[in-house]
């Protein structure tokens, strides 16, 4: 079993999907049995469109509607140094993943495992978290459901000897 891990979630603008995933994952990581196993959780975007902004109101209201009321974040852009600061870097979709992989190629030997978060879908097929920004409320609920499911599956795989709810 690994020591403490660090996780970074990445989407395009860092106000919808990656913040949803960060909020969900952070909520799980603050509780037992994961409390002492996750050192750092963050999110960012591959684009700098929203630097310094808070998450989208619909992201926040979705998290709050599911009992996550202590999440705060200011959007930031991905930096190549993140590849050495985090153990796992999860892309929300394949375009984000391609951007991260290009950065990874320019930084050989970096620490992070870079992959699509949806590899932990639990369905045997990788899923993407579609950008809900231009859609309605349901897109945010879908992103929440996926982030919750992927987070649980990831934590179960990385910490197989830890019993959730213990």
């Amino acid at each position: 079993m690994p020591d403490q891990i660090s996780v970074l979630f990445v989407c395009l603008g860092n106000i919808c999907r990656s913040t949803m995933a960060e909020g969900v994952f952070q909520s799980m990581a603050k509780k037992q049995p994961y409390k002492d196993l996750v050192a750092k959780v963050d999110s960012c975007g591959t684009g700098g469109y929203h630097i310094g902004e808070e998450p989208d109101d619909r992201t926040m209201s979705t998290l709050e509607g599911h009992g996550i009321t202590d999440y705060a974040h200011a959007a930031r852009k991905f930096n190549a140094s993140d590849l050495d600061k985090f153990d796992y870097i999860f892309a929300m979709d394949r375009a984000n993943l391609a951007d991260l992989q290009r950065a990874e190629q320019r930084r050989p030997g970096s620490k992070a495992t870079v992959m699509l978060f949806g590899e932990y879908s639990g369905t045997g097929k990788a899923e993407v978290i579609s950008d809900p920004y231009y859609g309605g409320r349901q897109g945010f609920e879908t992103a929440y459901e996926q982030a919750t499911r992927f987070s649980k599956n990831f934590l179960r795989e990385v910490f197989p000897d830890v019993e959730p709810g213990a």
Side-chain angles (χ1 to χ4, degrees):
M1 183 163 74
D3 293 328
Q4 289 189 321
I5 61 166
S6 54
V7 182
L8 179 66
F9 298 97
V10 183
C11 69
L12 180 62
N14 193 215
I15 60 169
C16 295
R17 298 171 290 170
S18 59
T19 53
M20 182 78 74
E22 179 190 7
V24 166
F25 190 86
Q26 188 177 77
S27 176
M28 289 180 190
K30 285 181 179 179
K31 299 174 187 154
Q32 290 298 345
Y34 303 112
K35 186 176 181 173
D36 299 322
L37 300 175
V38 180
K40 183 177 183 179
V41 182
D42 196 5
S43 67
C44 64
T46 56
Y49 313 109
H50 302 285
I51 292 173
E53 293 180 22
E54 294 180 359
D56 188 286
D57 289 343
R58 296 165 293 177
T59 296
M60 295 305 291
S61 66
T62 301
L63 290 171
E64 290 165 4
H66 289 280
I68 300 171
T69 58
D70 60 348
Y71 176 68
H73 181 76
R76 72 174 185 89
K77 188 174 183 208
F78 175 80
N79 186 303
S81 66
D82 289 326
L83 290 162
D84 295 314
K85 293 177 184 173
F86 291 90
D87 298 304
Y88 297 92
I89 299 179
F90 291 127
M92 299 298 108
D93 66 29
R94 287 181 176 82
N96 307 142
L97 181 61
D99 290 340
L100 294 171
Q101 288 170 330
R102 277 191 293 280
E104 190 178 30
Q105 288 170 353
R106 292 188 298 271
R107 203 174 184 99
S110 57
K111 168 183 172 179
T113 298
V114 175
M115 62 191 297
L116 192 65
F117 192 31
E119 293 289 343
Y120 291 97
S121 69
T123 65
K125 182 180 175 211
E127 293 178 25
V128 300
I129 298 181
S130 297
D131 193 346
Y133 186 77
Y134 293 106
R137 177 78 182 181
Q138 185 53 46
F140 288 84
E141 287 294 334
T142 299
Y144 174 84
E145 181 279 321
Q146 288 177 299
T148 301
R149 181 165 36 98
F150 301 171
S151 293
K152 286 178 182 176
N153 291 337
F154 168 72
L155 287 166
R156 259 195 299 269
E157 185 170 309
V158 174
F159 302 111
D161 299 330
V162 174
E163 250 335 285

